[in-house]
């Protein structure tokens, strides 16, 4: 059993921690109120290694990879929903679910990607209503015979492009239906794998084709209260090392010109490039941004998110820029080598902790020091706040929201593994 403090001890510790923060004019109660109101969109695809339920018999393609063979992955939509309910029960606050088109819940007849309708997501929508969570949505331009050569919206083949444009149109309708049914804006995020393994002779034509396909998909105006479109750039993928059609520059320009959201995935840039610095840059011109918080190790490996420098810097920028209503936070990782429920909980809690750390900083004081040219004190205080009693505040947050504090949530996950996951073969 993983130990944790009882509520009395947690409250006691919190009272003291609160005083430490108050000395710097940081209101810990207010920080917790704000934290509880920031939803994290949980990526459904961590639950089954980006498999989906179409049963096309193929493998995961598109230049992404889930490695590992930890037992117990979800085999059906019902199993995945069960697993996700467990996850939400271990997270403080109300969150969201990020679905991919390959998770359509076909009741009987399976249809191809260009023919999916909101009906195929009716069970997801009903379940989300019950859970009281919002949904986000992604078209799936991979793991499909029509994407086997690595080309979709930017394919030179008109038939292939038409098929995927149709998929895009279908997905926007589904996203809008989700937004309407649940009364909360659903993000619709376009990521395609199209690119070249080796030096292309023509970098221009595919980009013209992609622009044209995107224009066709976005031609229908939808109410932004229900759905907002995002485009997700990438530096490289497995098999598209030399050239990715939908690069950062391409999509940034497209998003600005077409008033779309930009989706920033922390694994999609040069390894030393930090996306925290990009928020204030792109949000000077764009209305909002979608995040795919991930963790790349040496490449876009999609490891489980942890409380590292990159995630902390990202949260700081969101809070310091007062941008919680302009930055939609989603997770994007898929690790098949550890318990998948635990992977979700670790990642989501790490994101929340990063936000809490940022909310507990004396941001006003730091900005004043900066304005007064006191960069010495700015650095000294920033550094000292790394070891302020975050854990005491975090435990209190969990405890008052009725979820296990510390790492004690793992006891629940182990029990679930024994009772549910281990029965899956
Ligand atoms: C791929 C992108 C994309 C996917 C998921 C499954 O590099 O990050 O967001 O990971 O949509
Ligand atoms: Zn992503």
């Amino acid at each position: 059993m993983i130990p944790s403090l009882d509520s009395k001890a947690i409250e006691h510790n919190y009272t003291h921690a609160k005083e430490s923060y108050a000395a710097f004019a940081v209101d810990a109660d207010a920080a917790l109120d704000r934290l509880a109101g920031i939803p994290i969109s949980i990526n459904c695809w961590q639950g089954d290694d980006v498999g989906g339920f179409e049963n096309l018999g193929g493998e995961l393609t598109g230049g992404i990879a889930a490695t590992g063979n930890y037992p117990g992955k979800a085999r059906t939509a019902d199993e995945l929903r069960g697993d996700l309910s467990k996850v939400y029960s271990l997270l403080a606050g109300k969150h969201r679910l990020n679905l991919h088109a390959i998770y359509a819940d076909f009741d009987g007849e399976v249809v191809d990607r260009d023919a999916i309708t909101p009906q195929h997501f009716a069970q997801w929508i009903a379940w989300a209503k019950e859970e009281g969570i919002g949904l986000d949505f992604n078209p799936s331009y991979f793991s499909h015979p029509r994407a086997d050569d690595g080309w979709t919206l930017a394919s030179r083949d008109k038939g292939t492009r038409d098929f995927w444009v149709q998929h895009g149109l279908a997905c926007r309708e589904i996203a809008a239906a989700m937004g309407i049914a649940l009364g909360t804006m659903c993000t619709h995020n376009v990521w395609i794998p199209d690119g070249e393994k080796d030096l292309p002779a023509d970098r221009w034509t595919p980009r013209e084709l992609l622009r044209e396909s995107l224009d066709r998909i976005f031609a229908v105006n939808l109410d932004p209260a229900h759905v907002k479109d995002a485009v997700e750039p990438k530096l490289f993928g497995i098999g598209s090392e030399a050239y990715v059609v939908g690069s950062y520059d391409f999509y940034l320009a497209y998003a600005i010109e077409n008033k779309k959201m930009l989706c920033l995935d922390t694994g999609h840039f040069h390894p030393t490039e930090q996306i925290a610095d990009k928020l204030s840059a792109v949000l000077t011109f764009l209305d909002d941004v979608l995040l795919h918080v991930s963790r790349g190790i040496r490449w876009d490996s999609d490891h489980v998110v942890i409380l590292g420098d990159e995630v902390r810097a990202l949260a700081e920028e969101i809070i310091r820029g007062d941008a919680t209503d302009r930055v939609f936070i989603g997770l994007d990782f898929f690790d098949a080598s550890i318990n998948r429920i635990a992977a979700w909980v670790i990642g989501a809690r790490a994101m929340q902790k990063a936000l809490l750390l940022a909310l507990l900083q004396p941001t006003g004081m730091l900005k004043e020091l900066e304005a007064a040219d006191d960069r010495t004190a700015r650095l000294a205080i920033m550094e000292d706040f790394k070891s302020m009693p975050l854990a005491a505040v975090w435990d209190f947050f969990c405890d008052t929201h009725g979820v296990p504090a510390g790492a004690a949530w793992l006891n629940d996950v182990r029990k679930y593994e024994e009772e549910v996951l281990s029965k899956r073969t």
Side-chain angles (χ1 to χ4, degrees), residues 127-144:
W127 174 81
K129 241 182 219 160
E130 251 168 59
E131 286 276 338
I133 60 167
L135 292 177
D136 293 301
F137 198 58
N138 303 260
S140 310
Y141 297 98
F142 53 87
S143 302
H144 186 280

Side-chain angles (χ1 to χ4, degrees), residues 232 265 268 292 332:
E232 182 180 5
D265 183 310
H268 288 193
H292 272 192
D332 184 6

Side-chain angles (χ1 to χ4, degrees), residues 190-205:
V190 176
W191 168 71
I192 61 164
D194 305 34
E196 288 282 350
K197 180 184 176 74
D198 219 332
L199 299 174
D202 180 3
R203 293 172 183 268
W204 302 72
T205 304

Side-chain angles (χ1 to χ4, degrees), residues 45 50 62-64 100 138-139 142 189 191 232 234 236 263 265 268 292 300 302 332-334:
W45 51 92
V50 210
I64 53 180
H100 243 286
N138 303 260
F142 53 87
N189 174 50
W191 168 71
E232 182 180 5
K234 190 166 181 174
F236 81 94
C263 172
D265 183 310
H268 288 193
H292 272 192
D300 181 27
D302 291 290
D332 184 6
F333 49 78
F334 27 100

Side-chain angles (χ1 to χ4, degrees), residues 10-30 32 360 362 365 384-385 388-390 392-393 396:
I10 288 173
E11 201 186 330
H12 176 85
N13 287 349
Y14 177 65
T15 314
H16 288 291
K18 210 169 125 172
E19 274 173 33
S20 309
Y21 287 106
F24 283 83
V26 172
D27 181 343
D29 289 333
L32 291 184
L360 289 172
M365 180 189 277
D384 202 60
F385 263 70
M388 288 280 278
L390 171 78
V393 183
F396 184 74

Side-chain angles (χ1 to χ4, degrees), residues 384-406:
D384 202 60
F385 263 70
K386 287 182 182 167
S387 50
M388 288 280 278
L390 171 78
V393 183
W394 172 254
D395 280 354
F396 184 74
F397 179 64
C398 291
D399 199 58
T400 48
H401 280 84
V403 302

